[in-house]
Amino acid sequence: MENKFYAKDGLFKSLSFISALVIVLICIAMFTVLFIFSYPAIKQFGVIHFILSDAWNPVKKIFGGAGAIYGTIVTTVLSLIFAIPTSLGIAVFITQICPHSLKKYFSNAIELLASIPSIIYGMWGLFTLAPIMRNYIEPFLQKVFLPIPVIKYLFQGTPLGIDLLTSGLILSIMIIPFISSIARDTFELVPKELKESAYAMGATKWEMIKDVIFPYSKVGVLSGIIIATGRALGETMAVAFVLGNDHNIHLSLLKSSTTISVTLANEFTEADFRLYLSSLFYLAFILFIMSFTALGLAKFLLKRIKK
Amino acid sequence: MNLVKKRKVKNIIALSVSVFAAIIGLFWLVFILSSVLVKGISSINLSLFLNDPAPPGIPGGGLRCAFVGQAIITVIATVIGVPIGIFGGTFLAEYGRNKKYTAVISSLADMMTSFPSIVVGVFVYTIMVRPMGHFNGYAGAVALAIIMIPIIVRTTEETLKLIPWEVREAAFALGAPYYKVIKDIVYRSAITGLFTGILLAVARVAVETAPLLFTSFNNSFLTLNPNQPMPSLTVTIYQYAMGPYKEWHKLAWGASFVIVLFVLVLSILGRWIISKRYGSE
Amino acid sequence: MNEILIEVRNLSFYYGENRVLKDISMGVSKNMVTALIGPSGCGKTTFLRCFNRMHDLYKGNRYEGEIIYNGENILRAHDLIKLRSKIGMVFQRPTPFPMSIFDNVAYGLKLKGIKKRSEIEAIVEKSLMEAALWDEVKDKLNSPATSLSGGQQQRLVIARTLAVEPDIILFDEPTSALDPIATSKIEDLIKHLKDITTVLIVTHNMQQAARISEYTAFMFRGELIEFDKTENIFTNPKEELTEKYITGRFG
């Protein structure tokens, strides 16, 4: 009887160990596979040159990733610019202003934004948001900014609604719940005594938030922002609908562009020769590294807070 | 006096900005949901569920094949992903709880939950579609399972860690082997949490698009054989929405409606279970 | 009359480099209640958990010396599952398993491989009676164990332990989480348990030791200071430390 127990326990333990190992194996396998398949393109175009060149020409068999990398970074930065203030405002509202009875419902509602599938963001972006951007928002922005020197370069071109600005806006909606929920959680961690002593010195609520809560929770908020960055970098569907697929780099936010993930979505099944496919793998590899770095950094910061 | 007034004004402005941000957040949620619901509900009819796609211009087409394909892919993904996820999470929380590499695996799993899903699609394309020579439903299911596993590993680990150690010790003290302690005591105590974790993971992958683009691909026929390219709702929405035909757009909205409803129901159900089980404590 | 069930010889125990039990020797008498007392952190719980090798669940622990039971050294036992089925344990807080009252008591029997329903039913009833819980639960054996009160849960855990007929039951402050009425019920129960088994109990409460035990061991900073009949310890202690502790002039 006992022998059977030990054998079964050994089996159970091995099974669970192997399952945990699957996580590691997947990561290693992904890295290896992406690297091997992008090697021909790495050899052909090098690292620096591939990252800096925006020549993406399947006909001439010349590939450079700069267009896709530029689009990835610009949409991500735009989304952060829109999302960070909104998310912090939401977190402040939930932790400091919202009546206690509504707190839970409001938090849940914001987190629902995270469970809406990205394909829905894409659909909505293409059919609902893009026309609004095209007909109202972007002409308005042009009216305001075109007379201003330098800034005007960001708003040139015919407003189409299918562009970097719309993509950044949609991404920002998607990442708001990530930043706001981590910000909310770290705001809640601020010791009550600290807040009370700020009030005791005669601080207003805003001064308490600005001078006590924000400094105290900056690392947590930062890690939330980085996680959101990781999300935004790799998001495909929400952007694929509203960004077009243009590998050329334009300064204007009202021009269509592409991101690494959108390029993959559009061209991966069409790549009909080895170097083309390998260049796409190269892009995927770069995206892998970018996300891995961002998410690893966030993880590291979060670990540090817990200590 | 003037300074105090200025500070008070600043306070009111700052707090109003925060309220405004909260309203923006809610506004987006309501805006997105209502436009999907409004545009989608008019496309909901029986033929959406019962008919296969008709050629453009011919009315009465539906997305039966995509519903079926999506269901098959999701079920296979669940069958692969749930056992590995539960076992893996069990290792992290139980057998391996004191080992240093456990923390590394746990962090890795955490990072993978935010990983670009399109890269998973590229990866599975390479290891399955290329060797097999054609797009197929199994590859789509594996891609979804890869996304599902780290999610379930993490929720399982967190849930099991909530079960007090004393209960395990009591079972050990009776002479139970560890696997029985886990099976009879730990899993039973944690069943609600485990179930919710699975529910949310399934809800998340069932509506993924990007990992399916290069794995299960798409077609417009009803197929029950996962060894062939399989249509899915999400990929179909993508193709139809980008297509030029009004009927296609209508179908895409109908499918979107169904997907949003599915996700809303599952995530509200999940949250409700969690708050019922753990909220009162 | 005074047969020794378990003999501890020169036991030392280490948490990593930390020696937390120092050279303890004593005997646990069969069918008696032996109490372990001492200030918190004195090592009494650590000592108790050596008897069923509970420390083996965690890393970096080491035993030295011997605990002789049935002619064998517990500390060298390879089959912990068998060992633990003969040495029962009841914890500070009630530990009902997430199953019905009946299944809780039957759990150890199923581990032993007993499958016959009638046999299991008989033992469950007997054990619940021995744990003085039968009358309170006989009509709701299929209710979840968590529906019981704290004191009832603790008696259920005792019944669960009794069901596998252990040679000895280790109690780790079993009443520290209970109210006075539930406590007195458990104390009565423990006094009666010596008719069917042996009891080794850690208690934080000196009066409790005086009320229920035949032998008492006083521990301090990992050492066994004095071990004697309970009445001697409480009326005529030989060591100054013991006297200080039981008269409350400690620290």
Side-chain angles (χ1 to χ4, degrees):
Chain A
M1 193 69 211
E2 280 84 10
N3 276 337
K4 208 176 83 190
F5 276 164
Y6 286 116
K8 279 194 181 173
D9 194 46
L11 182 71
F12 198 87
K13 186 177 175 178
S14 319
L15 271 180
S16 71
F17 177 67
I18 292 167
S19 304
L21 218 55
V22 165
I23 296 282
V24 183
L25 291 180
I26 292 173
C27 283
I28 295 175
M30 251 194 237
F31 182 88
T32 317
V33 162
L34 292 178
F35 180 74
I36 290 174
F37 279 82
S38 38
Y39 190 70
I42 296 176
K43 218 172 72 179
Q44 181 82 19
F45 305 114
V47 179
I48 307 288
H49 183 252
F50 186 79
I51 290 176
L52 293 182
S53 154
D54 72 339
W56 186 268
N57 195 331
V59 181
K60 288 187 182 159
K61 304 199 175 181
I62 295 174
F63 299 96
I69 295 171
Y70 174 80
T72 306
I73 292 173
V74 171
T75 50
T76 302
V77 169
L78 277 176
S79 72
L80 290 174
I81 292 173
F82 297 139
I84 292 172
T86 317
S87 309
L88 291 183
I90 288 173
V92 167
F93 176 77
I94 292 175
T95 55
Q96 314 297 330
I97 302 175
C98 187
H100 196 77
S101 53
L102 291 177
K103 227 169 156 174
K104 210 181 82 190
Y105 296 102
F106 188 78
S107 293
N108 282 347
I110 293 298
E111 279 176 22
L112 263 190
L113 279 175
S115 50
I116 296 177
S118 49
I119 185 100
I120 301 300
Y121 279 100
M123 273 291 277
W124 173 80
L126 178 63
F127 290 109
T128 309
L129 187 62
I132 295 175
M133 295 295 283
R134 177 176 61 230
N135 298 330
Y136 305 102
I137 312 279
E138 290 174 357
F140 170 76
L141 289 174
Q142 285 191 323
K143 218 153 98 197
V144 175
F145 289 112
L146 278 186
I148 305 174
V150 184
I151 295 181
K152 72 176 181 190
Y153 292 110
L154 292 177
F155 296 95
Q156 282 176 335
T158 319
L160 290 172
I162 308 289
D163 51 40
L164 288 163
L165 187 67
T166 310
S167 303
L169 185 58
I170 294 179
L171 277 182
S172 82
I173 304 171
M174 296 186 73
I175 62 176
I176 282 173
F178 292 96
I179 305 178
S180 69
S181 70
I182 291 189
R184 181 197 64 204
D185 292 347
T186 47
F187 287 0
E188 303 264 26
L189 286 179
V190 178
K192 221 170 114 202
E193 298 76 28
L194 273 183
K195 293 191 255 180
E196 283 172 355
S197 51
Y199 283 132
M201 309 242 326
T204 62
K205 192 165 212 160
W206 166 242
E207 286 160 345
M208 187 277 290
I209 294 169
K210 175 170 64 86
D211 299 330
V212 175
I213 293 190
F214 282 173
Y216 193 90
S217 42
K218 57 176 186 265
V219 182
V221 171
L222 184 62
S223 64
I225 291 172
I226 300 174
I227 289 179
T229 310
R231 285 270 172 165
L233 286 174
E235 177 51 44
T236 311
M237 301 321 293
V239 190
F241 284 90
V242 289
L243 192 53
N245 189 22
D246 183 352
H247 282 276
N248 298 312
I249 295 178
H250 306 282
L251 201 53
S252 170
L253 301 179
L254 305 188
K255 285 273 171 66
S256 63
S257 176
T258 189
T259 67
I260 293 179
S261 51
V262 170
T263 305
L264 290 170
N266 284 327
E267 302 180 28
F268 196 78
T269 52
E270 291 165 5
D272 47 3
F273 55 95
R274 185 158 161 266
L275 197 59
Y276 192 1
L277 193 65
S278 178
S279 300
L280 288 168
F281 270 102
Y282 197 178
L283 283 179
F285 188 57
I286 292 172
L287 178 60
F288 180 91
I289 304 278
M290 281 161 73
S291 318
F292 213 90
T293 314
L295 296 169
L297 190 62
K299 197 75 211 161
F300 172 76
L301 288 176
L302 277 177
K303 279 246 160 88
R304 233 185 50 182
I305 307 181
K306 275 182 191 150
K307 280 177 189 165
Chain B
M1 195 58 217
N2 203 7
L3 181 68
V4 172
K5 210 171 187 181
K6 225 169 120 187
R7 285 171 55 205
K8 281 187 176 164
V9 170
K10 251 190 190 170
N11 181 46
I12 288 171
I13 293 174
L15 296 184
S16 316
V17 168
S18 154
V19 173
F20 181 65
I23 293 171
I24 291 183
L26 267 194
F27 166 76
W28 288 131
L29 181 73
V30 173
F31 190 10
I32 294 170
L33 290 184
S34 61
S35 58
V36 172
L37 297 187
V38 168
K39 292 200 184 173
I41 201 147
S42 60
S43 315
I44 297 293
N45 50 42
L46 269 182
S47 68
L48 178 72
F49 300 99
L50 297 181
N51 294 356
D52 282 330
I58 295 174
L63 295 174
R64 180 180 66 155
C65 61
F67 281 102
V68 172
Q70 188 102 39
I72 292 175
I73 293 170
T74 307
V75 167
I76 299 175
T78 308
V79 169
I80 301 170
V82 168
I84 297 180
I86 296 276
F87 268 122
T90 304
F91 183 82
L92 299 186
E94 305 285 343
Y95 289 106
R97 70 187 179 283
N98 291 322
K99 306 214 163 62
K100 278 207 182 105
Y101 62 79
T102 302
V104 176
I105 298 180
S106 178
S107 302
L108 216 51
D110 224 20
M111 287 160 64
M112 280 176 73
T113 57
S114 298
F115 228 64
S117 53
I118 192 140
V119 176
V120 175
V122 170
F123 171 65
V124 174
Y125 170 85
T126 323
I127 60 164
M128 286 185 75
V129 176
R130 267 175 83 103
M132 291 166 83
H134 53 88
F135 296 109
N136 62 80
Y138 289 122
V142 168
L144 294 190
I146 288 179
I147 295 167
M148 190 188 253
I149 288 169
I151 305 177
I152 300 186
V153 162
R154 290 290 296 135
T155 53
T156 304
E157 185 190 1
E158 292 302 319
T159 316
L160 298 192
K161 277 184 172 168
L162 289 178
I163 310 297
W165 257 101
E166 267 179 342
V167 185
R168 292 182 182 83
E169 288 191 342
F172 283 122
L174 274 178
Y178 204 163
Y179 84 94
K180 282 236 171 208
V181 176
I182 294 170
K183 197 166 65 85
D184 297 343
I185 315 297
V186 180
Y187 282 169
R188 272 206 213 203
S189 310
I191 187 79
T192 338
L194 295 179
F195 178 74
T196 316
I198 294 171
L199 195 72
L200 295 178
V202 171
R204 159 105 188 264
V205 305
V207 295
E208 277 284 358
T209 317
L212 299 180
L213 291 173
F214 329 129
T215 50
S216 56
F217 199 60
N218 203 358
N219 72 37
S220 31
F221 314 104
L222 183 69
T223 169
L224 299 175
N225 179 4
N227 199 21
Q228 286 176 0
M230 263 201 159
S232 55
L233 269 189
T234 47
V235 177
T236 307
I237 291 176
Y238 180 48
Q239 283 193 346
Y240 279 23
M242 299 299 251
Y245 310 108
K246 272 268 175 297
E247 298 92 44
W248 278 15
H249 295 173
K250 227 168 124 59
L251 285 174
W253 277 113
S256 300
F257 177 86
V258 175
I259 283 181
V260 165
L261 210 60
F262 172 81
V263 167
L264 284 187
V265 167
L266 282 196
S267 54
I268 290 171
L269 186 68
R271 275 164 209 287
W272 179 72
I273 296 173
I274 292 175
S275 69
K276 207 164 167 258
R277 181 78 165 74
Y278 304 100
S280 52
E281 281 163 23
Chain C
M1 168 71 201
N2 200 347
E3 187 191 333
I4 298 292
L5 177 73
I6 298 184
E7 173 88 42
V8 181
R9 292 181 194 153
N10 306 105
L11 174 72
S12 290
F13 180 77
Y14 298 80
Y15 280 130
E17 293 301 303
N18 245 348
R19 191 179 181 204
V20 288
L21 294 180
K22 295 165 192 163
D23 207 21
I24 294 176
S25 297
M26 64 176 270
V28 180
S29 303
K30 196 171 179 182
N31 294 105
M32 299 276 177
V33 176
T34 303
L36 301 172
I37 61 170
S40 12
C42 71
K44 50 193 193 303
T45 295
T46 308
F47 182 39
L48 188 78
R49 290 161 68 94
C50 290
F51 285 83
N52 64 349
R53 298 269 301 272
M54 221 50 179
H55 297 298
D56 286 42
L57 293 175
Y58 310 95
K59 271 211 159 153
N61 300 323
R62 188 159 56 86
Y63 312 88
E64 267 173 21
E66 297 178 312
I67 300 179
I68 303 296
Y69 158 65
N70 279 343
E72 279 176 44
N73 183 0
I74 286 179
L75 303 179
R76 295 273 166 275
H78 291 296
D79 194 342
L80 295 185
I81 288 175
K82 198 169 148 198
L83 173 76
R84 288 176 183 153
S85 66
K86 298 307 289 178
I87 298 184
M89 188 168 199
V90 175
F91 295 79
Q92 284 196 9
R93 276 185 302 172
T95 51
F97 294 156
M99 42 185 95
S100 72
I101 294 171
F102 183 93
D103 289 339
N104 257 278
V105 183
Y107 188 71
L109 304 171
K110 287 177 184 155
L111 287 176
K112 275 180 136 183
I114 298 172
K115 293 213 172 71
K116 231 170 101 187
R117 186 77 190 170
S118 58
E119 193 183 346
I120 293 179
E121 277 173 4
I123 300 177
V124 168
E125 182 175 341
K126 177 166 156 268
S127 310
L128 284 169
M129 280 180 166
E130 286 168 349
L133 189 61
W134 176 252
D135 288 335
E136 291 159 59
V137 301
K138 63 183 177 201
D139 298 324
K140 50 171 183 175
L141 288 174
N142 289 321
S143 317
T146 43
S147 65
L148 298 173
S149 71
Q152 287 175 322
Q153 288 184 6
Q154 197 61 307
R155 278 180 281 147
L156 177 71
V157 172
I158 295 174
R160 187 173 74 195
T161 312
L162 285 170
V164 292
E165 297 184 334
D167 289 340
I168 180 171
I169 301 182
L170 313 169
F171 284 89
D172 184 6
E173 304 194 27
T175 59
S176 61
L178 301 179
D179 62 75
I181 295 171
T183 299
S184 81
K185 278 189 185 162
I186 301 276
E187 285 185 10
D188 285 342
L189 171 57
I190 290 175
K191 274 192 265 182
H192 287 109
L193 282 182
K194 60 180 181 240
D195 299 335
I196 47 176
T197 183
T198 303
V199 172
L200 182 60
I201 177 168
V202 165
T203 172
H204 200 65
N205 175 337
M206 278 179 281
Q207 281 70 39
Q208 184 169 64
R211 281 194 298 265
I212 62 175
S213 69
E214 276 78 29
Y215 286 91
T216 296
F218 170 63
M219 293 177 66
F220 184 64
R221 291 191 180 157
E223 288 181 62
L224 178 63
I225 304 298
E226 190 168 356
F227 175 54
D228 205 339
K229 287 201 165 137
T230 300
E231 46 185 276
N232 293 343
I233 291 271
F234 282 94
T235 56
N236 188 17
K238 294 188 183 64
E239 301 288 331
E240 204 191 327
L241 263 176
T242 318
E243 193 187 342
K244 269 190 176 171
Y245 182 68
I246 59 167
T247 51
R249 290 185 286 121
F250 220 75

